[in-house]
Amino acid sequence: MVRSKSEAMLADMYYDLGIPYRYEAELRLNSGKKVYPDFTIFDVTRLREIYHEHMGLLDDEEYRLHNLRKIAEYRKNGIFAGKNLFITHESSGCPLNIREIEKCVRWLLDM
């Protein structure tokens, strides 16, 4: 079970690619704060976890600010976009493109 159609598409993509993942698994930051990344994927080649945040409601200002703060919190804890954090997004004017996301995931995981 996921919260949105887009997250269902992302989960299906990970499943179809054979990429192990957990949905909204608890992540405890250095400060002790708990966050729940949309997906935690496992890079079997490098034996590492990569967190995937999908920002699906960027038209909503409150949602957007909450997520920007979350990304800043990740950085404070050594979780960086392009290293161990994968960020995708969509809005009314910029719909989810699962084919492009799949290309990015394949590149990120050397598939």
Side-chain angles (χ1 to χ4, degrees), residues 26-42:
E26 180 182 294
L27 171 62
R28 190 175 299 264
L29 301 176
N30 296 334
S31 64
K33 181 179 180 180
K34 296 176 189 177
V35 294
Y36 299 87
D38 293 320
F39 297 91
T40 302
I41 61 175
F42 189 67

Side-chain angles (χ1 to χ4, degrees), residues 54-71:
H54 178 67
M55 297 182 201
L57 299 171
L58 287 180
D59 294 323
D60 180 315
E61 184 175 357
E62 186 176 327
Y63 174 90
R64 186 173 55 249
L65 291 174
H66 167 78
N67 277 278
L68 290 173
R69 289 185 193 107
K70 189 175 188 181
I71 301 305

Side-chain angles (χ1 to χ4, degrees), residues 13-103:
M13 176 196 67
Y14 285 131
Y15 179 82
D16 291 345
L17 291 173
I19 298 169
Y21 74 90
R22 291 177 291 150
Y23 179 71
E24 291 190 347
E26 180 182 294
L27 171 62
R28 190 175 299 264
L29 301 176
N30 296 334
S31 64
K33 181 179 180 180
K34 296 176 189 177
V35 294
Y36 299 87
D38 293 320
F39 297 91
T40 302
I41 61 175
F42 189 67
D43 179 350
V44 295
T45 303
R46 293 184 183 92
L47 303 177
R48 65 184 178 140
E49 288 185 331
I50 299 172
Y51 307 104
H52 178 178
E53 286 290 354
H54 178 67
M55 297 182 201
L57 299 171
L58 287 180
D59 294 323
D60 180 315
E61 184 175 357
E62 186 176 327
Y63 174 90
R64 186 173 55 249
L65 291 174
H66 167 78
N67 277 278
L68 290 173
R69 289 185 193 107
K70 189 175 188 181
I71 301 305
E73 189 74 25
Y74 281 145
R75 282 194 305 266
K76 291 178 189 174
N77 285 271
I79 300 170
F80 301 103
K83 178 183 174 191
N84 50 358
L85 176 63
F86 180 53
I87 302 169
T88 54
H89 57 83
E90 66 183 300
S91 68
S92 60
C94 184
L96 181 71
N97 184 330
I98 199 71
R99 288 185 181 149
E100 289 299 315
I101 291 170
E102 182 179 330
K103 286 179 190 177

